[in-house]
Amino acid sequence: MLKVATDAPVSVIADIRGLDIGDTTLMTVFTAIAARIDAWPGIPFAVVTDHPDHVARLAKQAADRFVPIHADVPAAERARDRPPRRRALQLLAASPQASSVARAFVGRVCEQWQVQEHVDDARLVATELVENTVRHTTSHPRLRLELRRDTFIISVADDDPREAVLLERPREHGLGLRLVAESTRAWGCSRSWAGGKVVWAVLMPRRPRHRRVASDAEPQS
């Protein structure tokens, strides 16, 4: 299901009516998937089942993560929330110039979507993700920008299944993902249904900056 979600469909619906689950504690996988999909790609997720044990177990987990439950697929489709979404795609060459092309693309899209408050962070994230793809794979980076309500998302797909890892002690060229982690609300690496992976990042919402005076007792960074 997570691999299917990497293509950012309208929603993900899990029809488990014909699934016999001997150990009902395994139902926690659906709350975990709901939490993961909510972080990225931020699309609706629902479970379809009319099995009393399934419904009871999922209801018990509602305190951790509410998962919508429906009796059939048409009902799940009618009930899903469809947040307005904008998407822009750019296929890049596997070359040292890819990051500069990516930055220009991000700038144009942010201007078109009127989200200039995100342009600096989006350029930084796109640059690092594209350069990682060019440096560590032989793929053409596939840059995707998405805007859902006030959530701005940058993702780069490639054909290499090896996971992008944040190094504890990065060496040369190892600061990219650390910069991404520090500049975003959430980021991650997901396997795609067609093979390869998608490295994604969700930008933090911009808040008005308030001037404040540091006192002598405050630690200085």
Side-chain angles (χ1 to χ4, degrees), residues 170-181:
R171 299 178 181 179
E172 185 181 4
H173 303 307
L175 288 175
L177 289 181
R178 189 164 296 280
L179 289 175
V180 170

Side-chain angles (χ1 to χ4, degrees), residues 9-29:
V10 174
S11 66
V12 174
I13 298 172
D15 186 348
I16 63 171
R17 286 174 292 182
L19 189 62
D20 183 15
I21 303 176
D23 184 354
T24 57
T25 61
L26 297 177
M27 296 290 289
T28 57
V29 70

Side-chain angles (χ1 to χ4, degrees), residues 28-212:
T28 57
V29 70
F30 297 108
T31 54
I33 289 171
R36 174 63 178 74
I37 289 179
D38 183 62
W40 183 85
I43 56 178
F45 173 71
V47 171
V48 168
T49 183
D50 53 6
H51 196 295
D53 288 345
H54 294 172
V55 174
R57 187 66 190 183
L58 287 170
K60 287 182 179 179
Q61 297 169 19
D64 297 325
R65 166 68 62 168
F66 173 71
V67 179
I69 307 169
H70 302 279
D72 53 49
V73 173
E77 291 178 338
R78 289 193 300 270
R80 68 188 172 195
D81 178 25
R82 302 189 187 191
R85 175 174 64 184
R86 305 178 90 174
R87 180 187 295 181
L89 304 172
Q90 178 70 58
L91 177 64
L92 302 167
S95 72
Q97 290 74 41
S99 58
S100 62
V101 175
R103 285 192 295 274
F105 175 69
V106 169
R108 291 195 303 272
V109 172
C110 285
E111 182 177 5
Q112 180 183 354
W113 291 351
Q114 299 181 355
V115 287
Q116 292 296 107
E117 68 274 17
H118 288 306
V119 68
D120 292 336
D121 287 341
R123 280 175 171 160
L124 182 150
V125 171
T127 297
E128 299 301 338
L129 297 187
V130 167
E131 287 185 351
N132 268 1
T133 298
V134 172
R135 184 176 299 121
H136 299 295
T137 79
T138 59
S139 302
H140 293 276
R142 300 185 293 278
L143 174 61
R144 184 170 79 203
L145 306 178
E146 295 181 80
L147 182 66
R148 293 191 182 92
R149 294 193 178 119
D150 60 347
T151 301
F152 195 91
I153 304 167
I154 305 103
S155 60
V156 175
D158 63 57
D159 300 323
D160 192 321
R162 291 177 298 172
E163 185 176 0
V165 177
L166 179 64
L167 300 176
E168 187 68 27
R169 296 181 178 179
R171 299 178 181 179
E172 185 181 4
H173 303 307
L175 288 175
L177 289 181
R178 189 164 296 280
L179 289 175
V180 170
E182 293 174 353
S183 305
T184 59
R185 184 174 66 191
W187 79 278
C189 179
S190 302
R191 295 284 183 90
S192 62
W193 182 256
K197 66 177 177 295
V198 180
V199 185
W200 52 271
V202 180
L203 294 186
M204 293 180 286
R206 287 292 189 180
R207 296 178 180 176
R209 294 184 177 180
H210 300 283
R211 182 177 296 178
R212 58 190 298 270

